[in-house]
């Protein structure tokens, strides 16, 4: 299932489209280890026909399953585009493809969702990340590090 609009239905008045678009139909093609899409896209759109273009307005929402890029804990996130608007020309060199009097809005929805995906998802803005272990090997101090290099200083190459 895709989000399509029949231009003949828009000749007299605007139409409202509400529903869900499955992850398979949305086909985001995201291979991100930190962001997963398992829930359908929800949408509520009003579409109207202008003189030589199509205008869609409303909102898009996609629930994401994320892992924090700092602490690696899983957390839910919501990608909400509200308000969302799309203007598609029906004439000219940038005109949208019309098949059987229908326009498919799905590629434009997909593009806007991908452009708003979190690049570095955080469970909370002030996440401090992974905690350092309290025991175990500690990093060498500067004195120990300089002693290691001191042996090389004594080396005579000529």
């Amino acid at each position: 299932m895709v989000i399509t609009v029949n231009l003949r239905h828009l000749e007299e008045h605007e139409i409202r489209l509400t529903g869900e678009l499955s992850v398979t139909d949305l086909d985001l093609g995201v291979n991100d280890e930190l962001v997963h899409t398992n829930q359908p896209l929800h949408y509520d759109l009003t579409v109207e026909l202008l003189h030589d273009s199509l205008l869609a307005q409303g909102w898009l929402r996609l629930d994401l399953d994320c892992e924090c890029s700092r602490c690696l804990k899983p957390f839910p996130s919501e990608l909400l585009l509200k308000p969302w608007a799309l203007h598609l020309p029906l004439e000219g060199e940038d005109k949208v493809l019309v098949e059987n009097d229908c326009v498919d809005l799905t590629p434009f929805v997909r593009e806007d969702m991908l452009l708003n995906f979190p690049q570095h998802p955080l469970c909370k803005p002030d996440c401090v990340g992974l905690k350092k272990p309290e025991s175990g090997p500690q990093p060498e101090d500067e004195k120990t590090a300089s002693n290691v290099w001191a042996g090389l200083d004594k080396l005579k190459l000529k």
Side-chain angles (χ1 to χ4, degrees):
M1 181 159 214
V2 292
I3 305 172
T4 58
V5 177
N6 189 320
L7 297 177
R8 298 288 176 217
H9 295 160
L10 294 172
E11 290 176 348
E12 294 182 18
H13 55 82
E14 65 186 29
I15 61 169
R16 185 168 180 203
L17 302 173
T18 59
E20 297 181 345
L21 187 61
S22 74
V23 174
T24 306
D25 291 333
L26 189 56
D27 190 27
L28 290 172
V30 175
N31 294 325
D32 192 335
E33 294 177 0
L34 299 178
V35 181
H36 307 282
T37 55
N38 300 318
Q39 303 296 322
L41 170 90
H42 299 272
Y43 60 89
D44 187 354
L45 306 173
T46 302
V47 185
E48 61 184 299
L49 187 61
L50 301 177
H51 298 289
D52 59 351
S53 61
L54 190 67
L55 178 64
Q57 300 179 84
W59 57 263
L60 306 169
R61 189 187 88 225
L62 183 62
D63 295 321
L64 304 172
D65 296 320
C66 299
E67 288 183 41
C68 181
S69 61
R70 289 185 187 158
C71 68
L72 302 177
K73 290 182 182 176
F75 69 97
S77 180
E78 179 184 72
L79 182 56
L80 178 64
L81 302 182
K82 182 178 181 179
W84 180 77
L86 175 65
H87 181 263
L88 297 173
L90 297 172
E91 296 178 5
E93 69 179 52
D94 293 332
K95 68 181 178 182
V96 68
L97 179 64
V98 178
E99 289 185 25
N100 298 327
D101 296 328
C102 292
V103 174
D104 185 6
L105 303 180
T106 310
F108 305 100
V109 168
R110 177 183 307 115
E111 180 179 4
D112 283 350
M113 295 308 287
L114 285 172
L115 288 172
N116 286 281
F117 252 55
Q119 300 227 347
H120 301 285
L122 297 176
C123 58
K124 52 188 175 186
D126 59 345
C127 177
V128 294
L130 295 172
K131 296 182 179 177
K132 295 180 182 177
E134 294 181 17
S135 62
Q138 300 296 321
E140 297 179 349
D141 60 6
E142 290 181 28
K143 186 176 181 182
T144 307
S146 64
N147 287 340
V148 173
W149 290 104
L152 291 175
D153 291 337
K154 296 176 186 174
L155 183 64
K156 295 186 181 188
L157 296 173
K158 287 189 180 187

